[in-house]
């Protein structure tokens, strides 16, 4: 009788790659599955950020990394024009399914939105800043696309931030943003503590 060795559990690299395909840079079936989970786990925070933005019917809103589109959908019911910038084709499909023609969804990232200068009144981003390869370039891009007086609202799981929320605010200030405010918020349920930031492009 011969025996075969028991299969080894997946190594950290395999697990990291799977998590990245599901949540970090969603792709394929894992990406769609991750999107469904994000739609549930992030929904409360997405709605809170939209509420904090106090959107007006004549405003244009840019949502960076909308994922499955919960915040994009909420913003599209309040603002005049809503644009989602999302690198993942799977997430863009979910956004399109959820929002229909109430929002434009395009390929891009925080550092490369593909938007014209001073096109947006508000930029919203939830649980996306930790994926920005170049935060300085991303903050500079968001500053560029905002109109004078425009506002940025950012939220992310605090434990996943690459720097402290205060350092993140300093980086936004270095890009030109003013009136920086940062705080933490404990979402109901099991979601992790959120670090949130508000900033304004000077008029």
């Amino acid at each position: 009788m011969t025996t075969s060795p028991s299969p080894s559990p997946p190594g950290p690299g395999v697990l990291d790659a799977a998590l990245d395909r599901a949540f970090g840079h969603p792709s394929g079936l894992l990406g769609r599955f991750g999107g469904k989970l994000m739609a549930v786990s992030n929904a409360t925070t997405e709605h809170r950020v939209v509420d904090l933005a106090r959107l007006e019917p004549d405003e244009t809103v840019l949502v960076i990394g909308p994922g499955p589109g919960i915040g994009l959908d909420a913003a599209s019911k309040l603002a005049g024009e809503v644009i989602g910038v999302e690198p993942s084709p799977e997430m863009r499909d979910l956004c399109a399914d959820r929002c229909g023609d109430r929002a434009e969804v395009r390929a891009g990232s925080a550092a490369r939105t593909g938007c014209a200068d001073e096109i947006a009144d508000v930029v919203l981003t939830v649980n996306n800043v930790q994926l920005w390869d170049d935060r300085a370039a991303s903050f500079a891009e968001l500053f560029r696309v905002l109109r004078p007086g425009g506002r940025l609202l950012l939220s992310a799981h605090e434990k996943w931030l690459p720097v402290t929320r205060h350092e993140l605010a300093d980086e936004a200030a270095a890009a030109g943003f003013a009136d920086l405010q940062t705080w933490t918020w404990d979402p109901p349920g099991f979601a992790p503590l959120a670090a949130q930031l508000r900033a304004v492009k000077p008029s």
Side-chain angles (χ1 to χ4, degrees):
M1 177 178 175
T2 60
T3 58
S4 300
S6 299
S8 301
V14 174
L15 291 175
D16 288 346
L19 288 171
D20 185 61
R21 284 199 305 275
F23 303 108
H25 299 86
S27 61
L29 289 175
L30 272 177
R32 292 189 74 82
F33 174 72
K36 305 254 183 219
L37 285 181
M38 286 187 280
V40 175
S41 63
N42 291 341
T44 302
T45 303
E46 296 272 9
H47 284 285
R48 174 177 170 80
V49 168
V50 170
D51 288 344
L52 289 172
R54 298 182 179 179
L55 303 178
E56 298 291 339
D58 61 345
E59 290 186 316
T60 297
V61 179
L62 180 63
V63 182
I64 303 297
I70 298 295
L72 190 74
D73 182 53
S76 73
K77 295 172 181 175
L78 298 170
E81 183 179 1
V82 179
I83 302 165
V85 175
E86 170 61 56
S88 164
E90 285 77 12
M91 295 302 101
R92 292 198 299 272
D93 287 346
L94 290 177
C95 285
D97 291 345
R98 188 179 302 278
C99 299
D101 60 3
R102 286 182 287 103
E104 176 191 347
V105 184
R106 61 174 66 168
S109 66
R112 291 173 293 278
T113 64
C115 293
D117 291 351
E118 299 183 358
I119 194 175
D121 300 288
V122 183
V123 171
L124 306 177
T125 181
V126 174
N127 293 333
N128 189 254
V129 66
Q130 68 271 17
L131 303 175
W132 297 357
D133 293 329
D134 187 334
R135 290 192 307 279
S138 297
F139 278 123
E141 173 73 352
L142 301 185
F143 188 86
R144 180 186 70 78
V145 301
L146 273 171
R147 296 185 177 115
R151 54 209 187 271
L152 164 69
L153 283 106
L154 178 154
S155 181
H157 298 312
E158 188 172 47
K159 67 179 182 179
W160 291 342
L161 282 178
V163 294
T164 69
R165 60 188 172 88
H166 299 291
E167 290 171 310
L168 205 62
D170 289 342
E171 292 176 357
F177 285 100
D179 298 333
L180 275 297
Q181 297 172 293
T182 181
W183 63 92
T184 57
W185 180 63
D186 194 7
F190 300 102
L193 187 71
Q196 301 186 325
L197 179 149
R198 184 183 187 276
V200 175
K201 180 174 179 175
S203 299

